[in-house]
């Protein structure tokens, strides 16, 4: 990407954010590219800049992690984790390599004290061992863990065998939540759990897959193409056009505009907004609908308690201590 395009993108990104800080998300690119980014941001920004690099870990090394630490960048690390240790032999070589890249990246990040979060895809296989998966990620040393359900369709429109089912997704979420609510409130941050509590507390959703509008965060590649950060959509558009588009300015079209009538009448709609549009595989209904409904119903009583603790200016962590003595 030439300096003119990069300069225009950075100026537009700063101009479209009225808050005190401006988020930037990046994918791919080397040290020289990132140095150019920082230099331009310092030239044009009068606000605090928050840079996040999204990666599978394969591009991280000692020098790059040192740079991230020096300039306060965060790293969002994608991981494919086998269900149990023995399952590694059943995972294809590509996934084994990806998993090892991520583990190596964790070591580089820890060495240089770079703040990072983990994005873990939950599929048919690893969804069967939710607690093992959660504790494995928890042991990596980051308090930020994001679970992304795998929902893919074959050419006939059926879910693939690797996709997580609604029942498995619901079981996975409630099992992890059971542990989290007793041990990790305030220690480990899981976006779906935190956002659910925010809705109970009267705040709007911000999580991309469950918000009323699409996520508007675009991650530029060094070649000038862009991708949506929290989806698998490679937009392939010139970076300037994407950042100046209506979707970038408004957050995209309302996700609820294509909901089925059953979704509109559902009492759990405030918590999921119908889920991500690409998960709506049958008559506008999410393939994970029953799983989400099970989780929101199960977690409701705990969420109400944490909401009331907030109102009374007490930490929701108090619930951990109470449940541990029950």
């Amino acid at each position: 990407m030439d300096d003119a395009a990069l300069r225009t993108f950075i100026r537009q990104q700063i101009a479209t954010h009225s808050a005190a800080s401006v988020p930037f998300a990046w994918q791919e690119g080397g040290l020289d590219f990132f140095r150019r980014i920082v230099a331009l941001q310092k030239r044009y920004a009068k606000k605090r800049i928050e840079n996040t690099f999204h990666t599978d870990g394969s591009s991280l090394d000692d020098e790059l992690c040192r740079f991230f630490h020096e300039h306060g960048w965060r790293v969002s690390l994608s991981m494919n984790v086998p269900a149990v240790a023995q399952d590694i032999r059943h995972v294809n070589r590509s996934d084994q390599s990806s998993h090892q890249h991520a583990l190596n990246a964790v070591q580089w990040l820890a060495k240089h004290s770079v703040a990072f979060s983990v994005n873990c895809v939950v599929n048919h296989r690893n969804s069967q061992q939710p607690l093992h998966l959660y504790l494995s990620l928890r042991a990596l040393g980051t308090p930020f863990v994001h679970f992304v359900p795998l929902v893919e369709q074959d050419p006939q429109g059926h879910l693939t065998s690797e996709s997580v089912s609604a029942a498995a997704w619901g079981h996975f979420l409630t099992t992890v939540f059971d542990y989290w609510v007793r041990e990790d409130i305030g220690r480990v941050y899981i976006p779906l759990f935190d956002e659910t509590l925010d809705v109970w507390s009267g705040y709007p959703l911000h999580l991309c897959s469950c918000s009323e509008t699409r996520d508007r965060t675009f991650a530029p590649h060094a070649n000038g193409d862009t991708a949506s950060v929290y989806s698998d959509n490679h937009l392939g558009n010139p970076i300037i056009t994407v950042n100046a588009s209506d979707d970038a300015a408004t957050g995209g079209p309302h996700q609820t505009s294509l909901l089925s009538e059953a979704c509109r009448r559902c009492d759990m709609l405030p918590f999921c907004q119908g889920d991500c549009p690409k998960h709506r595989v049958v008559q506008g209904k999410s393939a994970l609908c029953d799983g989400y409904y099970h989780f929101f119903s199960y977690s409701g009583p705990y969420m109400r308690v944490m909401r009331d603790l907030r109102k009374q200016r007490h930490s929701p962590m108090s619930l951990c201590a109470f449940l541990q003595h029950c």
Side-chain angles (χ1 to χ4, degrees):
M1 184 190 307
D2 61 39
D3 281 342
L6 184 59
R7 180 169 58 249
T8 300
F9 170 77
I10 288 174
R11 294 178 67 178
Q12 288 178 345
Q13 182 77 349
I14 293 170
T16 57
H17 284 79
S18 58
S21 61
V22 183
F24 284 86
W26 308 96
Q27 288 182 331
E28 300 182 359
L31 193 55
D32 289 342
F33 178 57
F34 296 143
R35 284 173 174 157
R36 288 164 54 204
I37 289 169
V38 169
L40 289 169
Q41 288 174 336
K42 288 180 177 179
R43 181 187 304 179
Y44 296 112
K46 305 299 182 183
K47 306 175 183 179
R48 182 164 55 91
I49 298 296
E50 297 178 349
N51 286 301
T52 301
F53 179 53
H54 294 257
T55 178
D56 64 357
S58 59
S59 60
L60 295 184
D61 58 23
D62 190 68
E63 189 176 17
L64 194 55
C65 288
R66 185 183 299 113
F67 170 87
F68 288 155
H69 172 76
E70 290 175 356
H71 296 278
W73 283 41
R74 297 181 61 88
V75 170
S76 179
L77 182 64
S78 297
M79 294 191 72
N80 291 319
V81 181
V84 293
Q86 292 84 349
D87 278 350
I88 193 67
R89 65 177 181 272
H90 299 303
V91 181
N92 63 43
R93 290 183 179 180
S94 175
D95 283 345
Q96 287 186 44
S97 176
S98 175
H99 182 59
Q100 190 58 51
H101 281 316
L103 293 179
N104 293 339
V106 169
Q107 295 179 359
W108 288 119
L109 295 167
K111 175 182 176 181
H112 293 283
S113 300
V114 177
F116 70 99
S117 60
V118 171
N119 296 311
C120 178
V121 174
V122 179
N123 55 37
H124 169 72
R125 184 180 295 276
N126 63 18
S127 68
Q128 308 304 309
Q129 297 287 338
L131 198 54
H132 165 82
L133 182 58
Y134 176 63
L135 294 177
S136 297
L137 297 173
R138 186 175 180 263
L140 294 176
T142 176
F144 304 102
V145 177
H146 181 35
F147 295 112
V148 182
L150 179 67
V151 179
E152 294 180 332
Q153 294 176 270
D154 62 22
Q156 288 72 44
H158 302 120
L159 290 183
T160 63
S161 60
E162 284 301 306
S163 296
V164 61
S165 68
W169 181 235
H171 172 70
F172 179 90
L173 291 176
T174 54
T175 302
V176 172
F177 180 80
D178 258 341
Y179 186 94
W180 176 86
V181 80
R182 288 168 172 79
E183 302 289 340
D184 287 341
I185 297 174
R187 298 186 182 92
V188 178
Y189 301 92
I190 300 174
L192 179 60
F193 298 175
D194 293 338
E195 292 273 335
T196 301
L197 178 56
D198 282 347
V199 173
W200 276 103
S201 302
Y203 299 104
L205 278 169
H206 293 99
L207 189 64
C208 170
S209 62
C210 295
S211 63
E212 192 172 0
T213 56
R214 284 204 320 257
D215 175 76
R216 70 178 185 175
T217 305
F218 303 113
H221 293 234
N223 67 359
D225 286 353
T226 59
S228 178
V229 171
Y230 298 110
S231 76
D232 54 7
N233 294 328
H234 183 81
L235 303 178
N237 295 322
I239 191 171
I240 298 173
T241 304
V242 170
N243 205 35
S245 67
D246 290 341
D247 278 7
T250 65
H254 283 256
Q255 295 193 155
T256 54
S257 61
L258 300 176
L259 287 178
S260 66
E261 188 59 31
C263 287
R264 294 177 186 276
R265 294 196 305 266
C266 180
D267 53 349
M268 297 300 173
L269 182 60
F271 299 101
C272 73
Q273 296 297 335
D275 193 18
C276 180
K278 70 188 185 72
H279 294 169
R280 300 175 195 170
V281 298
V282 181
Q283 298 178 342
K285 185 177 178 180
S286 169
L288 302 176
C289 177
D290 291 344
Y292 276 120
Y293 195 96
H294 176 58
F295 166 70
F296 294 133
S297 300
Y298 181 86
S299 63
Y302 302 95
M303 294 292 180
R304 283 193 291 268
V305 172
M306 288 189 283
R307 175 201 61 192
D308 293 343
L309 285 169
R310 274 183 171 181
K311 288 182 178 179
Q312 297 165 15
R313 299 187 180 277
H314 295 301
S315 170
M317 292 177 65
S318 304
L319 181 57
C320 283
F322 174 79
L323 291 174
Q324 286 171 3
H325 289 90
C326 287

